[in-house]
């Protein structure tokens, strides 16, 4: 359909999909959906040594998990059945397009040896040339010389003839007018001597043949764009619009890496992040709606996304902010929905096995008192465990500080008082009252008693509110733990 917007995400499957990659995918996806266009995935696996099937799977599963559904690309039932959206399946196309340029005299075979090219570079370096590049030596070989070399089986690369325009410029959708002096470019190679096409060539051939109207990708590709524009011009093809997304840095202003808490997308899933949180946070890495609003569902993003609102300056990734979003989305779920996504993590950690009504009620109560201490799904495990298992060991520092003989004596007495309360009255207010009175009569600060009880009952120094914890743990269990403690 003419006039249709078509964008693509074109990952190289040489590693797992990370934050930067999925952010590029998301902005392409949103652009396509906002404009009722098509979102295409193209697997750039022409680097045979470094491309791996397992990374294709990782990339596709990551996109699927986050909800970036593609209209064209790898088969959704089997990501590794290589179809025409894999560059490895398009080698004949690249060859025939390179031949077109050769036949029309816009490209030529270069037989220069490695040694000659190295020598050339050395001379340019000595001369302190501003730019190094090929000198066009093979541009003017005669047809006879070429035939002779081919008959001698001499290896060759294919180079384009750089046009003589002084400048290559384009209007970037995000960065505005960008110009490159074309004398910084040379007759660059499009097909290597082993027959493999280079990235800049495959991208242009594919983007053209796939009808891509807008190329939206990371800023690290900006220096490739003039070469690609030259190729479009040589072919006399319509040039797509380009938009280069700002880089993503960590909190410290350095290029994003694992050090900043950034891991692969599926790793976030494993670690207990929700796709809604990832998606929302990704959208804000370089894009904003206004200076206030931060919370967006996928549907809202599709409605509100505008490429002109993408910033030119680098985005900053903060794991704390991502955790903040995750916490928010976890707590936005209904009680039932939240429990059902938490269950697998509890089961995996061996905290629960069967979900009886009793366990369910207890979990609802625990989740409520843990509140926004649950920032990632498995965080509940820590808070839930003491309710299902008595402590195997006690925090050493906690014991030393809060379970001294005099403190234990008071706690044991509190245990006796608890035992006398009717189960039905065993509520947080009552518990608090008893502890307060015991603190006053013993002269030991209530904070100390509370911390002592926390260590005794949970084994550690951190838990949800203690009165609530005691109530949910239940009178009999609390009394038992206090009585058994030596
Ligand atoms: N395959 C390239 C990459 O993974 C992307 C190429 C492009 O978007 O033009 O960086």
């Amino acid at each position: 359909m003419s006039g249709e917007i078509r964008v693509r995400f074109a990952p190289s499957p040489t590693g797992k999909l990370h934050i930067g990659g999925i952010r590029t995918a998301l902005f392409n996806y949103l652009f396509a959906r906002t404009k009722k266009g098509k979102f295409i995935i193209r697997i750039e696996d022409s680097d045979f040594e470094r491309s791996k099937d397992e990374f294709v799977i990782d990339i596709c599963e990551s996109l699927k998990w986050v909800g970036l559904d593609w209209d064209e690309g790898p088969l959704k039932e089997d990501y590794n059945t290589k179809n025409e959206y894999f560059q490895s399946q398009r080698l004949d196309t690249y060859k025939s397009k390179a031949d077109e340029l050769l036949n029309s005299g816009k490209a030529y075979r270069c037989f220069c040896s490695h040694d000659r090219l190295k020598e050339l570079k050395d001379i340019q370096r000595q001369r302190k040339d501003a730019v190094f590049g090929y000198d066009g030596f093979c541009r003017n070989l005669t047809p006879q010389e070429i035939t002779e070399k081919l008959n001698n089986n001499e290896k060759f690369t294919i180079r384009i003839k750089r046009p003589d325009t002084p400048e290559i410029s384009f209007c970037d959708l995000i960065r505005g007018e960008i110009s490159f002096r074309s004398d910084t470019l040379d007759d660059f190679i499009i097909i290597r001597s082993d027959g493999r096409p280079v990235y800049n060539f495959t991208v242009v051939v594919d983007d053209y043949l796939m009808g891509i109207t807008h190329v939206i990708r990371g800023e690290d590709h900006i220096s490739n764009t003039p070469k690609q524009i030259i190729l479009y011009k040589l072919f006399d093809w319509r040039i797509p619009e380009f938009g280069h997304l700002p880089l993503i840095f960590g909190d410290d202003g350095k290029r994003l890496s694992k050090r900043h808490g950034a891991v692969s997308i599926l790793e976030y899933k494993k670690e207990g992040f929700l796709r809604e949180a990832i998606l929302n946070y990704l959208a804000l890495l370089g894009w904003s709606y206004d200076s206030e609003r931060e919370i967006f569902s996928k549907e809202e993003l599709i409605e509100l996304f505008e490429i002109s609102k993408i910033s030119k300056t680098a985005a900053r990734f903060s794991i704390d902010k991502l955790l903040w979003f995750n916490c928010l989305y976890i707590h936005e779920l209904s009680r039932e929905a939240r429990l059902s996504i938490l269950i697998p993590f509890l089961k995996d950690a061996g905290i629960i096995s069967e979900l009886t009504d009793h366990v369910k009620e207890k979990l609802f109560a625990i989740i409520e008192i843990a509140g926004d201490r649950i920032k990632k799904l498995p965080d509940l495990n820590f808070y839930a465990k003491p309710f299902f298992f008595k402590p195997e060991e006690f925090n050493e520092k906690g014991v030393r500080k809060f379970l001294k003989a005099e403190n234990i004596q008071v706690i044991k007495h509190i245990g006796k008082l608890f035992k006398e309360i009717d189960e039905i009255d065993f509520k947080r207010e009552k518990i608090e009252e008893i502890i307060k009175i015991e603190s006053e009569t013993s002269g030991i600060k209530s904070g100390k008693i509370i911390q002592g009880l926390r260590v005794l009952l949970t084994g550690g120094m951190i838990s949800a509110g203690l009165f609530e914890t005691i109530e949910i743990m239940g009178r009999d269990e609390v009394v038992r733990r206090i009585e058994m403690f030596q």
Side-chain angles (χ1 to χ4, degrees):
M1 197 173 91
S2 78
E4 182 186 58
I5 300 286
R6 290 172 64 81
V7 294
R8 80 325 190 256
F9 172 53
S12 308
T14 52
K16 293 183 177 178
L17 193 57
H18 279 257
I19 290 284
I22 196 123
R23 197 262 327 240
T24 302
L26 173 65
F27 286 2
N28 274 284
Y29 171 88
L30 292 175
F31 188 73
R33 293 289 173 264
T34 311
K35 309 259 182 215
K36 310 238 171 319
K38 293 280 187 294
F39 173 57
I40 295 151
I41 303 294
R42 182 173 70 232
I43 303 291
E44 305 215 314
D45 59 348
S46 61
D47 181 344
F48 299 132
E49 285 100 59
R50 292 174 59 223
S51 298
K52 299 235 155 54
D53 286 358
E54 69 189 82
F55 297 136
V56 175
I57 295 176
D58 179 88
I59 290 165
C60 293
E61 280 187 349
S62 304
L63 292 167
K64 199 167 141 201
W65 178 61
V66 177
L68 306 184
D69 202 15
W70 55 95
D71 303 303
E72 295 170 31
L75 294 181
K76 290 182 191 158
E77 319 73 64
D78 176 9
Y79 305 137
N80 270 320
T81 295
K82 297 192 171 50
N83 60 9
E84 68 273 29
Y85 293 93
F86 285 71
Q87 289 193 326
S88 57
Q89 306 308 298
R90 305 173 59 79
L91 299 178
D92 289 346
T93 308
Y94 306 131
K95 181 169 182 326
S96 89
K97 290 295 166 199
D99 285 345
E100 264 179 39
L101 289 183
L102 265 185
N103 295 337
S104 58
K106 290 176 179 165
Y108 60 93
R109 294 182 183 84
C110 170
F111 295 92
C112 288
S113 63
H114 258 296
D115 288 348
R116 175 170 191 276
L117 294 175
K118 191 175 168 297
E119 226 168 82
L120 183 63
K121 213 174 200 169
D122 288 344
I123 294 169
Q124 289 171 337
R125 197 171 289 138
Q126 270 164 23
R127 273 202 316 241
K128 297 198 173 22
D129 285 1
V131 272
F132 301 161
Y134 184 60
D135 59 357
F137 184 79
C138 290
R139 249 196 200 220
N140 303 315
L141 293 178
T142 62
Q144 288 84 336
E145 283 171 317
I146 294 172
T147 314
E148 208 171 287
K149 285 179 185 295
L150 289 177
N151 288 341
N152 283 342
N153 277 333
E154 280 187 43
K155 279 194 173 296
F156 62 87
T157 57
I158 300 181
R159 291 180 182 272
I160 56 108
K161 283 188 187 161
R162 177 175 65 85
D164 281 335
T165 43
E167 238 181 31
I168 309 278
S169 47
F170 63 99
C171 186
D172 191 276
L173 292 164
I174 294 153
R175 317 183 67 80
E177 197 66 26
I178 297 182
S179 302
F180 287 87
R181 277 178 38 202
S182 44
D183 59 8
T184 58
L185 301 173
D186 63 355
D187 287 355
F188 58 86
I189 293 174
I190 54 170
I191 304 281
R192 298 186 182 89
S193 58
D194 60 5
R196 279 187 305 138
V198 306
Y199 156 74
N200 278 312
F201 185 64
T202 55
V203 161
V204 169
V205 170
D206 289 344
D207 283 343
Y208 173 71
L209 293 178
M210 293 180 182
I212 301 302
T213 56
H214 296 74
V215 171
I216 301 167
R217 60 185 171 197
E219 195 187 287
D220 43 338
H221 282 291
I222 222 164
S223 59
N224 288 316
T225 309
K227 289 187 179 178
Q228 297 178 11
I229 290 177
I230 287 181
L231 286 167
Y232 281 103
K233 289 193 167 157
L234 290 176
F235 278 114
D236 210 9
W237 286 342
R238 183 188 44 78
I239 303 174
E241 304 255 7
F242 292 97
H244 290 92
L245 306 173
L247 298 175
I248 305 175
F249 290 143
D251 276 337
D252 54 1
K254 303 224 168 84
R255 205 67 196 261
L256 190 60
S257 73
K258 238 183 163 152
R259 212 158 21 96
H260 305 105
V263 292
S264 78
I265 297 306
L266 292 181
E267 199 77 25
Y268 284 111
K269 178 183 178 196
K270 249 200 262 159
E271 283 188 12
F273 282 86
L274 302 193
R275 66 171 63 120
E276 292 81 359
I278 299 272
L279 195 92
N280 191 155
Y281 184 54
L282 282 174
L284 299 180
L285 287 176
W287 176 83
S288 57
Y289 176 64
D290 57 23
S291 54
E292 308 266 294
R293 184 165 168 189
E294 289 189 308
I295 315 293
F296 300 92
S297 67
K298 188 165 116 179
E299 290 65 34
E300 288 167 336
L301 286 171
I302 291 174
E303 202 185 306
L304 301 172
F305 181 79
E306 275 177 64
I307 197 159
S308 59
K309 289 192 172 163
I310 292 177
S311 140
K312 289 193 199 49
T313 48
R316 269 181 199 255
F317 173 87
S318 151
I319 190 73
D320 290 337
K321 189 76 192 187
L322 178 56
L323 282 166
W324 180 84
F325 273 108
N326 207 46
C327 184
L328 187 108
Y329 279 99
I330 291 175
H331 291 93
E332 227 176 47
L333 295 169
S334 69
R335 245 162 60 112
E336 288 285 343
R338 184 163 46 231
L339 183 64
S340 73
I341 55 169
L342 286 162
I343 295 292
F345 289 90
L346 290 162
K347 283 192 171 163
D348 267 6
I351 291 170
I352 61 163
S353 48
E354 223 185 309
L355 191 65
T356 59
D357 284 349
H358 172 69
V359 168
K360 207 168 153 180
E361 282 314 311
K362 197 155 151 177
L363 284 171
F364 279 140
I366 298 166
I367 293 167
E368 196 190 312
I369 64 162
D372 53 19
R373 292 178 182 91
I374 307 174
K375 296 194 166 29
K376 292 190 282 182
L377 300 176
D379 290 349
L380 177 65
N381 296 354
F382 172 83
Y383 294 100
K385 193 170 177 198
F387 292 92
F388 295 90
F389 297 96
K390 49 182 190 317
E392 280 157 20
E393 47 192 34
F394 299 91
N395 179 294
E396 247 180 67
K397 196 171 151 208
V399 172
R400 224 180 315 120
K401 226 168 146 192
F402 302 109
L403 289 173
K404 292 197 182 112
E406 58 194 38
N407 216 6
I408 293 183
Q409 212 183 348
V410 179
I411 290 173
K412 293 265 181 194
H413 189 237
I414 289 174
K416 283 200 190 104
L417 296 174
F418 283 170
K419 206 171 177 177
E420 285 162 16
I421 305 174
D422 241 11
E423 199 158 357
I424 197 136
D425 296 328
F426 197 68
K427 296 279 179 256
R428 52 200 76 176
E429 297 77 17
K430 182 84 194 156
I431 293 162
E432 181 174 5
E433 190 190 308
I434 290 177
I435 293 174
K436 209 167 147 219
I437 293 172
E438 282 313 292
S439 157
E440 275 159 16
T441 43
S442 68
I444 295 179
K445 283 201 178 106
S446 62
K448 240 181 173 177
I449 300 175
I450 288 170
Q451 222 22 17
L453 266 166
R454 194 187 312 278
V455 174
L456 187 151
L457 295 172
T458 69
M461 298 223 272
I462 297 165
S463 78
L466 187 80
F467 311 133
E468 296 90 325
T469 298
I470 291 177
E471 178 189 321
I472 296 165
M473 209 170 259
R475 186 196 62 187
D476 294 348
E477 183 60 25
V478 169
V479 168
R480 197 173 310 128
R481 288 188 193 184
I482 294 177
E483 283 177 349
M484 278 170 61
F485 187 80
Q486 304 290 346

